[in-house]
Coordinates of all heavy atoms in Angstrom, one line a residue:
M10 N -23.2 8.2 -17.3 CA -22.4 6.9 -17.6 C -23.4 6.0 -18.3 O -24.5 5.8 -18.0 CB -21.9 6.3 -16.3 CG -21.2 5.0 -16.6 SD -20.3 4.3 -15.2 CE -21.5 4.1 -14.0
R11 N -22.8 5.4 -19.4 CA -23.6 4.5 -20.2 C -23.3 3.0 -19.8 O -22.2 2.5 -19.9 CB -23.2 4.7 -21.7 CG -24.1 3.9 -22.6 CD -23.7 4.3 -24.1 NE -24.8 3.9 -25.0 CZ -24.6 3.2 -26.0 NH1 -23.4 2.8 -26.4 NH2 -25.6 2.9 -26.8
L12 N -24.4 2.4 -19.3 CA -24.3 0.9 -18.9 C -24.6 0.1 -20.1 O -25.5 0.4 -20.9 CB -25.2 0.6 -17.7 CG -24.9 1.3 -16.4 CD1 -25.9 0.9 -15.4 CD2 -23.5 1.1 -15.9
L13 N -24.0 -1.1 -20.2 CA -24.4 -2.1 -21.1 C -25.8 -2.7 -20.7 O -26.1 -2.7 -19.5 CB -23.4 -3.2 -21.2 CG -22.0 -2.8 -21.8 CD1 -21.1 -4.0 -21.6 CD2 -22.2 -2.4 -23.3
P14 N -26.6 -3.2 -21.7 CA -27.8 -3.8 -21.3 C -27.7 -5.0 -20.4 O -26.7 -5.8 -20.5 CB -28.4 -4.3 -22.6 CG -27.7 -3.5 -23.7 CD -26.3 -3.2 -23.1
F15 N -28.5 -5.1 -19.4 CA -28.5 -6.3 -18.5 C -29.1 -7.5 -19.2 O -28.8 -8.6 -18.9 CB -29.3 -6.0 -17.2 CG -28.5 -5.0 -16.3 CD1 -28.7 -3.6 -16.4 CD2 -27.7 -5.5 -15.3 CE1 -28.1 -2.7 -15.6 CE2 -27.0 -4.6 -14.5 CZ -27.2 -3.2 -14.6
F16 N -30.1 -7.2 -20.0 CA -30.7 -8.3 -20.8 C -31.3 -7.7 -22.1 O -31.6 -6.5 -22.1 CB -31.8 -9.0 -20.0 CG -32.9 -8.1 -19.4 CD1 -34.1 -7.9 -20.1 CD2 -32.7 -7.5 -18.2 CE1 -35.1 -7.1 -19.6 CE2 -33.7 -6.7 -17.6 CZ -34.9 -6.5 -18.3
C17 N -31.5 -8.5 -23.1 CA -32.0 -8.0 -24.3 C -33.5 -8.1 -24.2 O -34.1 -9.0 -23.6 CB -31.6 -8.9 -25.5 SG -29.8 -8.9 -25.7
Y18 N -34.2 -7.1 -24.9 CA -35.6 -7.1 -24.9 C -36.1 -6.7 -26.3 O -35.6 -5.7 -26.9 CB -36.1 -6.1 -23.9 CG -37.6 -6.4 -23.5 CD1 -37.8 -7.1 -22.3 CD2 -38.6 -6.1 -24.3 CE1 -39.1 -7.4 -21.9 CE2 -39.9 -6.4 -23.9 CZ -40.2 -7.1 -22.7 OH -41.4 -7.4 -22.4
F19 N -37.1 -7.5 -26.8 CA -37.6 -7.1 -28.2 C -38.1 -5.7 -28.1 O -38.9 -5.3 -27.3 CB -38.7 -8.1 -28.5 CG -39.3 -7.8 -29.8 CD1 -38.7 -8.3 -31.0 CD2 -40.5 -7.1 -30.0 CE1 -39.2 -8.0 -32.2 CE2 -41.1 -6.9 -31.2 CZ -40.4 -7.4 -32.3
G20 N -37.6 -4.9 -29.1 CA -38.1 -3.5 -29.1 C -37.2 -2.6 -28.2 O -37.5 -1.4 -28.1
G21 N -36.2 -3.1 -27.7 CA -35.3 -2.4 -26.8 C -34.7 -1.2 -27.6 O -34.4 -1.3 -28.7
K22 N -34.4 -0.1 -26.8 CA -33.9 1.1 -27.4 C -32.5 1.5 -27.0 O -32.1 2.7 -27.2 CB -34.9 2.3 -27.0 CG -36.3 2.1 -27.4 CD -36.5 2.1 -28.9 CE -37.9 2.0 -29.3 NZ -38.5 0.7 -29.1
W23 N -31.8 0.5 -26.5 CA -30.4 0.9 -26.0 C -29.6 1.5 -27.1 O -29.0 2.6 -26.9 CB -29.8 -0.4 -25.4 CG -28.4 -0.1 -24.8 CD1 -28.2 0.5 -23.6 CD2 -27.2 -0.4 -25.4 NE1 -26.8 0.6 -23.4 CE2 -26.2 0.1 -24.5 CE3 -26.7 -0.9 -26.6 CZ2 -24.8 0.0 -24.7 CZ3 -25.4 -1.1 -26.8 CH2 -24.5 -0.6 -25.9
R24 N -29.5 0.9 -28.3 CA -28.7 1.5 -29.3 C -29.3 2.8 -29.9 O -28.6 3.7 -30.1 CB -28.5 0.5 -30.5 CG -27.6 -0.7 -30.2 CD -27.4 -1.6 -31.4 NE -26.7 -2.8 -31.0 CZ -27.2 -3.9 -30.6 NH1 -28.5 -3.9 -30.4 NH2 -26.5 -4.9 -30.3
A25 N -30.6 2.8 -30.1 CA -31.2 3.9 -30.7 C -31.2 5.1 -29.8 O -31.3 6.3 -30.2 CB -32.7 3.6 -31.1
A26 N -31.1 4.9 -28.5 CA -31.2 6.0 -27.5 C -30.2 7.1 -27.7 O -30.4 8.2 -27.4 CB -31.1 5.4 -26.1
R27 N -29.0 6.7 -28.2 CA -28.0 7.7 -28.5 C -28.4 8.8 -29.5 O -27.9 9.8 -29.6 CB -26.7 7.1 -28.9 CG -26.0 6.4 -27.7 CD -24.6 6.1 -28.0 NE -24.5 5.0 -28.9 CZ -23.4 4.4 -29.3 NH1 -22.3 4.8 -28.8 NH2 -23.4 3.4 -30.2
K28 N -29.4 8.4 -30.3 CA -29.9 9.3 -31.3 C -31.1 10.1 -30.8 O -31.6 11.0 -31.5 CB -30.3 8.5 -32.6 CG -29.1 7.8 -33.2 CD -29.5 7.0 -34.5 CE -28.3 6.4 -35.0 NZ -28.6 5.4 -36.1
Y29 N -31.6 9.8 -29.6 CA -32.7 10.5 -29.0 C -32.2 11.7 -28.3 O -31.0 11.8 -27.9 CB -33.4 9.6 -28.0 CG -34.2 8.4 -28.5 CD1 -34.2 8.2 -29.9 CD2 -34.9 7.6 -27.7 CE1 -34.9 7.1 -30.4 CE2 -35.6 6.5 -28.2 CZ -35.6 6.3 -29.6 OH -36.3 5.2 -30.1
P30 N -33.0 12.7 -28.0 CA -32.5 13.9 -27.2 C -32.0 13.5 -25.9 O -32.5 12.5 -25.2 CB -33.8 14.7 -27.1 CG -34.7 14.2 -28.2 CD -34.4 12.8 -28.4
T31 N -31.0 14.2 -25.4 CA -30.5 14.1 -24.1 C -31.6 14.5 -23.1 O -32.3 15.4 -23.3 CB -29.3 15.0 -23.9 OG1 -28.3 14.7 -24.9 CG2 -28.7 14.8 -22.5
P32 N -31.7 13.8 -21.9 CA -32.7 14.1 -20.9 C -32.6 15.6 -20.5 O -31.5 16.1 -20.3 CB -32.4 13.2 -19.8 CG -31.6 12.1 -20.3 CD -30.9 12.6 -21.5
Q33 N -33.7 16.2 -20.3 CA -33.7 17.6 -19.9 C -33.8 17.8 -18.4 O -33.7 18.9 -17.8 CB -34.9 18.4 -20.5 CG -34.8 18.3 -22.1 CD -33.5 19.1 -22.6 OE1 -33.3 20.2 -22.3 NE2 -32.7 18.3 -23.4
H34 N -34.1 16.7 -17.7 CA -34.3 16.7 -16.2 C -33.4 15.7 -15.5 O -32.9 14.8 -16.2 CB -35.7 16.5 -15.9 CG -36.6 17.5 -16.5 ND1 -36.8 18.8 -16.0 CD2 -37.4 17.5 -17.6 CE1 -37.6 19.5 -16.8 NE2 -38.0 18.7 -17.8
D35 N -33.3 15.8 -14.2 CA -32.4 14.9 -13.4 C -33.1 13.5 -13.3 O -32.4 12.5 -13.1 CB -32.2 15.4 -12.0 CG -31.3 16.7 -12.1 OD1 -30.6 16.9 -13.1 OD2 -31.4 17.5 -11.1
T36 N -34.4 13.4 -13.4 CA -35.1 12.1 -13.3 C -35.6 11.7 -14.6 O -36.3 12.4 -15.3 CB -36.3 12.3 -12.3 OG1 -35.8 12.7 -11.0 CG2 -37.0 10.9 -12.1
I37 N -35.3 10.4 -15.0 CA -35.8 9.8 -16.2 C -36.9 8.8 -15.8 O -36.7 8.0 -14.9 CB -34.7 9.1 -16.9 CG1 -33.6 10.0 -17.4 CG2 -35.2 8.3 -18.1 CD1 -32.3 9.3 -17.9
V38 N -38.1 9.0 -16.4 CA -39.1 8.0 -16.2 C -39.2 7.2 -17.5 O -39.6 7.7 -18.5 CB -40.5 8.7 -15.9 CG1 -41.6 7.7 -15.8 CG2 -40.3 9.6 -14.7
E39 N -38.9 5.9 -17.4 CA -39.0 5.0 -18.6 C -40.3 4.3 -18.4 O -40.4 3.3 -17.6 CB -37.8 4.1 -18.7 CG -37.8 3.4 -20.1 CD -36.4 3.2 -20.7 OE1 -35.4 3.7 -20.1 OE2 -36.4 2.5 -21.7
A40 N -41.4 4.7 -19.0 CA -42.8 4.3 -18.7 C -43.0 2.9 -19.1 O -43.9 2.2 -18.5 CB -43.7 5.2 -19.4
F41 N -42.4 2.4 -20.1 CA -42.5 1.0 -20.6 C -41.1 0.4 -20.5 O -40.3 0.3 -21.4 CB -43.0 1.0 -22.0 CG -44.4 1.6 -22.1 CD1 -44.6 2.9 -22.3 CD2 -45.5 0.8 -22.0 CE1 -45.8 3.5 -22.4 CE2 -46.8 1.3 -22.1 CZ -47.0 2.7 -22.3
A42 N -40.8 -0.1 -19.3 CA -39.4 -0.3 -18.9 C -38.7 -1.3 -19.8 O -37.6 -1.1 -20.3 CB -39.3 -0.7 -17.4
G43 N -39.2 -2.5 -19.9 CA -38.5 -3.6 -20.6 C -37.1 -3.6 -20.2 O -36.8 -3.8 -19.0
G44 N -36.1 -3.5 -21.1 CA -34.7 -3.6 -20.7 C -34.2 -2.2 -20.3 O -33.0 -2.1 -20.1
A45 N -35.0 -1.2 -20.2 CA -34.6 0.2 -19.8 C -33.5 0.7 -20.7 O -32.6 1.4 -20.2 CB -34.2 0.2 -18.3
G46 N -33.7 0.5 -22.0 CA -32.6 0.9 -22.9 C -32.3 2.3 -23.0 O -31.2 2.7 -23.2
Y47 N -33.3 3.2 -22.8 CA -33.0 4.6 -22.8 C -32.3 5.0 -21.5 O -31.2 5.6 -21.5 CB -34.2 5.5 -22.9 CG -34.0 6.9 -23.0 CD1 -33.5 7.5 -24.2 CD2 -34.1 7.8 -21.9 CE1 -33.3 8.9 -24.3 CE2 -33.9 9.1 -21.9 CZ -33.5 9.7 -23.1 OH -33.2 11.0 -23.2
A48 N -32.8 4.6 -20.3 CA -32.3 5.0 -19.0 C -30.9 4.5 -18.8 O -30.0 5.1 -18.2 CB -33.2 4.5 -17.9
L49 N -30.5 3.3 -19.4 CA -29.2 2.8 -19.2 C -28.1 3.7 -19.8 O -26.9 3.6 -19.4 CB -29.1 1.4 -19.8 CG -29.8 0.2 -19.0 CD1 -29.7 -1.1 -19.8 CD2 -29.2 0.1 -17.6
N50 N -28.5 4.5 -20.7 CA -27.6 5.4 -21.3 C -27.3 6.6 -20.4 O -26.4 7.4 -20.7 CB -28.1 6.0 -22.7 CG -27.9 5.0 -23.8 OD1 -26.9 5.0 -24.5 ND2 -28.9 4.0 -23.9
Y51 N -28.0 6.8 -19.3 CA -27.9 7.9 -18.4 C -28.0 7.4 -17.0 O -28.8 7.9 -16.2 CB -28.9 8.9 -18.7 CG -28.9 9.4 -20.2 CD1 -29.8 8.9 -21.1 CD2 -28.0 10.4 -20.6 CE1 -29.7 9.3 -22.4 CE2 -27.9 10.8 -21.9 CZ -28.8 10.2 -22.8 OH -28.7 10.6 -24.1
S52 N -27.1 6.4 -16.6 CA -27.3 5.8 -15.3 C -26.9 6.7 -14.2 O -27.1 6.4 -13.0 CB -26.4 4.5 -15.3 OG -25.1 4.9 -15.4
D53 N -26.3 7.9 -14.5 CA -26.0 8.8 -13.4 C -27.2 9.7 -13.0 O -27.1 10.4 -12.1 CB -24.8 9.8 -13.9 CG -25.1 10.4 -15.2 OD1 -25.8 9.8 -16.0 OD2 -24.6 11.5 -15.4
R54 N -28.3 9.5 -13.8 CA -29.5 10.2 -13.4 C -30.4 9.4 -12.5 O -30.2 8.2 -12.3 CB -30.4 10.5 -14.7 CG -29.7 11.1 -15.8 CD -29.4 12.6 -15.6 NE -28.6 13.1 -16.7 CZ -29.1 14.1 -17.5 NH1 -30.3 14.6 -17.3 NH2 -28.4 14.5 -18.5
K55 N -31.3 10.0 -11.8 CA -32.3 9.2 -11.1 C -33.3 8.6 -12.1 O -33.7 9.3 -13.0 CB -33.1 10.1 -10.1 CG -34.1 9.4 -9.3 CD -34.8 10.2 -8.3 CE -35.8 9.3 -7.6 NZ -36.6 9.9 -6.6
V56 N -33.5 7.3 -11.9 CA -34.4 6.6 -12.9 C -35.6 6.0 -12.2 O -35.4 5.3 -11.2 CB -33.5 5.5 -13.6 CG1 -34.4 4.6 -14.5 CG2 -32.4 6.1 -14.4
V57 N -36.7 6.1 -12.8 CA -38.0 5.5 -12.4 C -38.4 4.6 -13.5 O -38.6 5.1 -14.6 CB -39.0 6.5 -12.0 CG1 -40.3 5.8 -11.6 CG2 -38.6 7.5 -10.9
L58 N -38.6 3.3 -13.2 CA -39.0 2.3 -14.2 C -40.5 1.9 -13.9 O -40.8 1.6 -12.8 CB -38.1 1.1 -14.2 CG -36.6 1.3 -14.5 CD1 -35.9 0.0 -14.4 CD2 -36.4 2.0 -15.9
H59 N -41.3 1.9 -14.9 CA -42.7 1.4 -14.8 C -42.8 0.2 -15.7 O -42.4 0.2 -16.9 CB -43.7 2.4 -15.3 CG -43.8 3.6 -14.4 ND1 -44.9 3.8 -13.6 CD2 -43.0 4.7 -14.2 CE1 -44.7 4.9 -12.9 NE2 -43.6 5.5 -13.2
E60 N -43.2 -0.9 -15.1 CA -43.3 -2.2 -15.8 C -44.5 -3.0 -15.3 O -44.7 -3.2 -14.2 CB -42.0 -3.0 -15.6 CG -42.0 -4.3 -16.2 CD -42.3 -4.3 -17.7 OE1 -41.6 -3.6 -18.5 OE2 -43.2 -5.0 -18.2
V61 N -45.3 -3.5 -16.3 CA -46.5 -4.2 -16.0 C -46.3 -5.7 -15.9 O -47.0 -6.5 -15.2 CB -47.6 -3.9 -17.0 CG1 -47.4 -4.5 -18.3 CG2 -49.0 -4.2 -16.4
D62 N -45.2 -6.2 -16.6 CA -45.0 -7.7 -16.7 C -44.3 -8.1 -15.4 O -43.2 -7.6 -15.1 CB -44.1 -8.0 -17.9 CG -43.8 -9.5 -18.0 OD1 -43.6 -10.2 -17.0 OD2 -43.8 -9.9 -19.2
P63 N -44.9 -9.0 -14.6 CA -44.3 -9.3 -13.3 C -42.9 -9.9 -13.4 O -42.1 -9.7 -12.5 CB -45.3 -10.3 -12.7 CG -46.4 -10.6 -13.7 CD -46.2 -9.6 -14.8
T64 N -42.7 -10.7 -14.4 CA -41.3 -11.3 -14.6 C -40.3 -10.2 -14.8 O -39.2 -10.2 -14.2 CB -41.3 -12.3 -15.7 OG1 -42.3 -13.3 -15.5 CG2 -40.0 -12.9 -15.8
V65 N -40.6 -9.3 -15.7 CA -39.6 -8.2 -16.0 C -39.5 -7.3 -14.7 O -38.4 -6.9 -14.4 CB -40.1 -7.4 -17.2 CG1 -39.1 -6.2 -17.5 CG2 -40.2 -8.2 -18.4
Y66 N -40.6 -7.0 -14.1 CA -40.6 -6.2 -12.8 C -39.7 -6.9 -11.8 O -38.8 -6.2 -11.2 CB -42.0 -6.1 -12.3 CG -42.0 -5.5 -10.9 CD1 -41.9 -4.1 -10.7 CD2 -42.0 -6.3 -9.8 CE1 -41.9 -3.6 -9.4 CE2 -42.0 -5.8 -8.5 CZ -41.9 -4.4 -8.3 OH -41.9 -3.9 -7.0
Q67 N -39.9 -8.2 -11.6 CA -39.1 -8.9 -10.6 C -37.6 -8.9 -10.9 O -36.7 -8.9 -10.0 CB -39.6 -10.3 -10.3 CG -41.0 -10.3 -9.6 CD -41.7 -11.7 -9.7 OE1 -41.1 -12.7 -9.9 NE2 -43.0 -11.6 -9.4
L68 N -37.3 -9.0 -12.2 CA -35.9 -9.0 -12.6 C -35.3 -7.7 -12.3 O -34.2 -7.6 -11.7 CB -35.8 -9.3 -14.1 CG -34.4 -9.3 -14.7 CD1 -33.5 -10.2 -14.0 CD2 -34.5 -9.7 -16.2
W69 N -36.0 -6.6 -12.6 CA -35.4 -5.3 -12.2 C -35.3 -5.1 -10.7 O -34.4 -4.5 -10.2 CB -36.3 -4.1 -12.9 CG -35.8 -3.9 -14.3 CD1 -36.6 -4.0 -15.4 CD2 -34.5 -3.4 -14.7 NE1 -35.8 -3.7 -16.5 CE2 -34.6 -3.4 -16.1 CE3 -33.4 -3.1 -14.1 CZ2 -33.5 -3.0 -16.9 CZ3 -32.2 -2.7 -14.8 CH2 -32.3 -2.7 -16.2
D70 N -36.3 -5.6 -10.0 CA -36.3 -5.5 -8.6 C -35.1 -6.2 -8.0 O -34.4 -5.7 -7.1 CB -37.6 -6.0 -8.0 CG -37.7 -5.8 -6.5 OD1 -37.6 -4.6 -6.1 OD2 -38.0 -6.7 -5.7
Y71 N -34.8 -7.3 -8.6 CA -33.6 -8.1 -8.1 C -32.3 -7.3 -8.5 O -31.4 -7.1 -7.6 CB -33.6 -9.5 -8.8 CG -32.3 -10.2 -8.6 CD1 -32.0 -10.9 -7.4 CD2 -31.3 -10.2 -9.6 CE1 -30.8 -11.5 -7.2 CE2 -30.1 -10.9 -9.4 CZ -29.8 -11.5 -8.2 OH -28.6 -12.2 -8.0
L72 N -32.2 -6.8 -9.7 CA -31.0 -6.2 -10.2 C -30.7 -4.9 -9.4 O -29.6 -4.5 -9.1 CB -31.1 -5.8 -11.7 CG -31.0 -7.0 -12.6 CD1 -31.3 -6.6 -14.0 CD2 -29.6 -7.7 -12.5
I73 N -31.8 -4.2 -9.0 CA -31.7 -2.9 -8.3 C -31.2 -3.2 -6.9 O -30.4 -2.4 -6.3 CB -33.0 -2.1 -8.4 CG1 -33.2 -1.6 -9.8 CG2 -33.0 -1.0 -7.3 CD1 -34.6 -1.1 -10.0
H74 N -31.6 -4.3 -6.3 CA -31.4 -4.5 -4.9 C -30.3 -5.5 -4.6 O -29.9 -5.6 -3.4 CB -32.7 -4.9 -4.1 CG -33.7 -3.8 -4.2 ND1 -34.8 -3.9 -5.0 CD2 -33.8 -2.6 -3.5 CE1 -35.5 -2.8 -4.9 NE2 -34.9 -2.0 -4.0
V75 N -29.8 -6.2 -5.5 CA -28.8 -7.3 -5.3 C -27.5 -6.6 -4.9 O -27.1 -5.5 -5.3 CB -28.6 -8.2 -6.5 CG1 -28.0 -7.4 -7.7 CG2 -27.9 -9.4 -6.2
S76 N -26.8 -7.4 -4.0 CA -25.4 -6.9 -3.6 C -24.4 -7.2 -4.7 O -24.6 -8.1 -5.5 CB -25.0 -7.6 -2.3 OG -24.7 -8.9 -2.6
P77 N -23.4 -6.3 -4.8 CA -22.3 -6.6 -5.7 C -21.7 -8.0 -5.5 O -21.4 -8.7 -6.5 CB -21.3 -5.5 -5.4 CG -22.1 -4.4 -4.9 CD -23.2 -5.0 -4.1
A78 N -21.6 -8.4 -4.3 CA -21.0 -9.7 -4.0 C -21.9 -10.9 -4.6 O -21.3 -11.8 -5.2 CB -20.9 -10.0 -2.5
E79 N -23.2 -10.7 -4.5 CA -24.1 -11.8 -5.1 C -24.0 -11.8 -6.6 O -23.9 -12.8 -7.2 CB -25.5 -11.5 -4.7 CG -26.4 -12.7 -5.1 CD -27.8 -12.5 -4.5 OE1 -28.0 -12.0 -3.4 OE2 -28.8 -13.0 -5.2
I80 N -23.9 -10.6 -7.2 CA -23.8 -10.5 -8.7 C -22.5 -11.2 -9.1 O -22.4 -12.0 -10.1 CB -23.8 -9.0 -9.2 CG1 -25.3 -8.5 -9.1 CG2 -23.2 -8.9 -10.5 CD1 -26.1 -9.0 -10.3
L81 N -21.4 -10.9 -8.4 CA -20.1 -11.4 -8.8 C -20.0 -12.9 -8.6 O -19.2 -13.6 -9.2 CB -19.0 -10.7 -8.0 CG -18.8 -9.2 -8.4 CD1 -17.8 -8.5 -7.5 CD2 -18.3 -9.1 -9.8
A82 N -20.9 -13.4 -7.7 CA -20.9 -14.9 -7.4 C -21.7 -15.7 -8.5 O -21.7 -16.9 -8.5 CB -21.4 -15.2 -6.0
L83 N -22.5 -14.9 -9.3 CA -23.2 -15.6 -10.3 C -22.3 -16.3 -11.3 O -21.2 -15.8 -11.6 CB -24.1 -14.7 -11.1 CG -25.3 -14.0 -10.3 CD1 -26.0 -13.0 -11.1 CD2 -26.3 -15.1 -9.8
P84 N -22.8 -17.4 -11.9 CA -21.9 -18.1 -13.0 C -21.7 -17.1 -14.1 O -22.6 -16.3 -14.5 CB -22.8 -19.2 -13.4 CG -23.8 -19.4 -12.4 CD -24.0 -18.1 -11.7
S85 N -20.5 -17.0 -14.6 CA -20.1 -16.1 -15.6 C -20.5 -16.7 -17.0 O -20.6 -17.9 -17.2 CB -18.7 -15.7 -15.6 OG -17.9 -16.9 -15.8
A86 N -20.8 -15.8 -17.9 CA -21.1 -16.2 -19.3 C -20.5 -15.2 -20.2 O -20.3 -14.0 -19.9 CB -22.6 -16.2 -19.5
V87 N -20.2 -15.6 -21.4 CA -19.6 -14.7 -22.4 C -20.8 -13.9 -23.0 O -21.8 -14.5 -23.4 CB -18.9 -15.5 -23.5 CG1 -18.4 -14.5 -24.5 CG2 -17.7 -16.2 -22.8
A88 N -20.6 -12.6 -23.0 CA -21.7 -11.8 -23.6 C -21.0 -10.9 -24.6 O -19.9 -10.4 -24.4 CB -22.4 -10.9 -22.5
H89 N -21.7 -10.7 -25.7 CA -21.2 -9.8 -26.7 C -22.3 -8.8 -27.1 O -23.4 -9.2 -27.4 CB -20.7 -10.6 -28.0 CG -20.3 -9.7 -29.1 ND1 -19.1 -9.0 -29.0 CD2 -20.9 -9.3 -30.2 CE1 -19.0 -8.3 -30.1 NE2 -20.1 -8.4 -30.8
V90 N -22.0 -7.5 -27.1 CA -22.9 -6.5 -27.5 C -22.3 -5.7 -28.6 O -21.3 -5.1 -28.4 CB -23.3 -5.6 -26.3 CG1 -24.3 -4.5 -26.7 CG2 -23.9 -6.5 -25.2
D91 N -23.0 -5.6 -29.7 CA -22.5 -4.8 -30.8 C -22.8 -3.3 -30.4 O -23.9 -3.1 -30.0 CB -23.2 -5.1 -32.1 CG -22.7 -6.4 -32.7 OD1 -21.4 -6.7 -32.5 OD2 -23.5 -7.2 -33.2
D92 N -21.9 -2.5 -30.5 CA -22.2 -1.1 -30.2 C -22.2 -0.2 -31.4 O -21.4 -0.3 -32.3 CB -21.1 -0.6 -29.2 CG -21.4 0.8 -28.6 OD1 -22.5 1.3 -28.9 OD2 -20.6 1.3 -27.9
Ligands
SAM104 C1 -40.7 -2.7 -26.0 S1 -40.5 -3.0 -24.3 C2 -39.7 -1.5 -23.8 C3 -38.3 -1.4 -24.2 C4 -37.5 -0.5 -23.4 N1 -37.9 0.9 -23.4 C5 -36.0 -0.7 -23.8 O1 -35.5 0.3 -24.4 O2 -35.4 -1.7 -23.5 C6 -42.1 -2.7 -23.7 C7 -42.3 -2.9 -22.2 O3 -43.4 -2.2 -21.7 C8 -44.1 -3.1 -20.8 N2 -45.5 -2.6 -20.7 C9 -46.5 -2.8 -21.6 N3 -47.6 -2.1 -21.2 C10 -47.3 -1.5 -20.1 C11 -48.0 -0.6 -19.2 N4 -49.3 -0.3 -19.4 N5 -47.3 -0.1 -18.1 C12 -46.0 -0.4 -17.9 N6 -45.3 -1.2 -18.7 C13 -45.9 -1.8 -19.8 C14 -43.9 -4.5 -21.4 O4 -44.1 -5.5 -20.4 C15 -42.5 -4.4 -21.9 O5 -41.6 -4.8 -20.9

């Protein structure tokens, strides 16, 4: 399943990832996570993100562990993503 980006990141590969080879294994390791643009194209796989920036790391840690109810309670905003 292809998820939309949770946030934009300079150098993100979300759009370009569709031109990359399909993963050959069940686990995807995105070594320079950023916005995890490649892994978001294959959210049905097991994904391991490696990130050195504490802010980006904490953002992913929040997104991975937050409850659906808390996400749905966040203020909404209009987002547009060109596909
Ligand atoms: C260009 S972004 C990655 C974009 C991402 N692959 C995407 O498609 O959205 C590069 C990321 O790698 C992280 N990074 C840089 N050096 C790293 C390292 N040694 N280990 C892990 N992450 C690193 C940066 O903090 C940044 O978030």
Side-chain angles (χ1 to χ4, degrees):
M10 178 170 54
R11 187 173 198 233
L12 296 179
L13 293 173
F15 288 90
F16 55 93
C17 297
Y18 203 98
F19 181 78
K22 301 293 183 292
W23 184 77
R24 287 186 187 85
R27 286 193 292 184
K28 298 178 180 171
Y29 291 1
T31 303
Q33 300 297 304
H34 301 281
D35 292 337
T36 300
I37 297 170
V38 178
E39 194 146 351
F41 298 85
Y47 184 79
L49 288 177
N50 282 269
Y51 304 98
S52 65
D53 52 332
R54 310 287 179 114
K55 180 174 180 181
V56 173
V57 178
L58 301 178
H59 289 256
E60 177 55 56
V61 74
D62 183 320
T64 302
V65 178
Y66 169 85
Q67 288 167 18
L68 179 52
W69 276 117
D70 189 50
Y71 171 78
L72 290 170
I73 289 166
H74 296 104
V75 68
S76 70
E79 186 173 331
I80 283 283
L81 291 172
L83 292 174
S85 61
V87 175
H89 175 76
V90 177
D91 288 324
D92 189 6

